[in-house]
Amino acid sequence: MSGSIRLFVSAPLAEGVEVQATPGQAHYLGTVMRRATGAPVRLFNGADGEWQARLTVIKRDRAVLAVETPLRAQAAEPDLWLAFAVLKRDATDLVAQKATELGVSALVPVITERTNAERVNATRIIAIATEAAEQSERLTVPRVAPLQRLPDLLVHWPAGRTLFAAIERAGAAPLRPRQGGSAAALLVGPEGGFSERELDALRARPFVVPVSLGPRILRAETASIVGLALLQAGD
Ligand code: SAH
């Protein structure tokens, strides 16, 4: 089935169900991809696995898909979050897309002392993550957490989840693959790095493990990609 269109929908999926596409999906199917009635489309919704469906109605801003047969059962995804200092728009977009391809279950945008942005376009991040999930054959779209300040993130940190904090120039131990898919998160700072105060706050927390990503100073977006790949190298 490779090459066929794959769409994330919010409707329940089961044999015989009819799913209404969003106007954006209808535009994509009909106008962009030039699909006609009868065209196969794969659907997933994050809960019911992946299904083979077929286009039964295609108009400019309306499409209906008839769900036919199951293709893949829903399976657990890696329990890995990416917490990242918000970057300029293009870099944030890149991080959302690549982190989704790399399997994260949650994107957690963070404001740090040296973060320039005070807001993040959550709708845009969700749209990018959804497209990346469709393209990378995931069965879920990562959750996008509300924007929060680093001290709040640390105060409300969930028990049992290790936070690997990427810290350059500090002689931290190299990041190694996590063991047995245990609950974890990667934290990457802004272009200006973490402040001394933030570094102290991170080091004071028992769930934080400072890690190095090698001898070179990476752009924040590179650090996110490399860190997520390294953490999962043993999965
Ligand atoms: N301006 C800072 C660099 C910040 S790089 C300086 O000159 O020191 C942006 C973020 O990427 C950092 O906050 C860190 O989380 C991560 N990062 C970049 N290179 C890294 C490395 N070699 N090891 C660990 N983390 C790194």
Side-chain angles (χ1 to χ4, degrees):
M1 290 316 295
S2 68
S4 82
I5 294 175
R6 214 173 160 262
L7 292 179
F8 176 78
V9 295
S10 51
L13 295 172
E15 199 175 320
V17 163
E18 294 221 314
V19 175
Q20 296 279 345
T22 65
Q25 288 172 332
H27 172 79
Y28 175 73
L29 287 165
T31 309
V32 179
M33 300 305 285
R34 307 236 155 248
R35 292 300 197 271
T37 309
V41 176
R42 289 179 289 158
L43 301 179
F44 67 109
N45 63 3
D48 300 323
E50 179 168 337
W51 288 77
Q52 185 64 63
R54 211 162 283 283
L55 255 184
T56 54
V57 175
I58 178 74
K59 301 262 162 59
R60 202 168 52 84
D61 60 356
R62 197 171 93 81
V64 178
L65 296 137
V67 179
E68 294 181 340
T69 48
L71 294 172
R72 274 199 291 165
Q74 193 69 33
E77 307 258 12
D79 188 0
L80 179 60
W81 299 357
L82 175 66
F84 62 102
V86 178
L87 305 167
K88 291 199 201 89
R89 193 177 85 162
D90 288 354
T92 299
D93 289 356
L94 185 78
V95 166
Q97 183 190 63
K98 298 308 166 201
T100 303
E101 289 174 38
L102 287 162
V104 299
S105 53
L107 291 162
V108 184
V110 179
I111 298 179
T112 68
E113 287 183 23
R114 297 187 185 145
T115 305
N116 299 318
E118 280 286 307
R119 62 185 62 193
V120 70
N121 187 339
T123 308
R124 186 179 169 83
I125 293 188
I126 291 167
I128 289 169
T130 302
E131 196 175 305
E134 291 170 345
Q135 178 271 328
S136 62
E137 311 232 331
R138 286 178 60 136
L139 289 171
T140 59
V141 174
R143 175 174 68 82
V144 178
L147 184 62
Q148 52 202 304
R149 294 183 184 278
L150 183 59
D152 297 328
L153 181 77
L154 298 182
V155 166
H156 299 296
W157 194 254
R161 182 175 297 274
T162 306
L163 179 58
F164 294 98
I167 300 175
E168 71 284 2
R169 300 185 214 274
L175 182 54
R176 302 262 177 243
R178 66 188 172 141
Q179 297 302 310
S182 51
L186 174 70
L187 172 67
V188 174
E191 282 312 331
F194 294 111
S195 70
E196 282 307 319
R197 190 159 47 153
E198 288 171 333
L199 291 172
D200 288 344
L202 286 167
R203 291 197 188 100
R205 297 281 173 175
F207 50 81
V208 170
V209 178
V211 291
S212 165
L213 299 174
R216 286 163 299 277
I217 304 303
L218 308 174
R219 300 291 294 258
E221 56 270 40
T222 315
S224 288
I225 296 167
V226 169
L228 291 173
L230 284 173
L231 271 174
Q232 299 183 96
D235 286 9

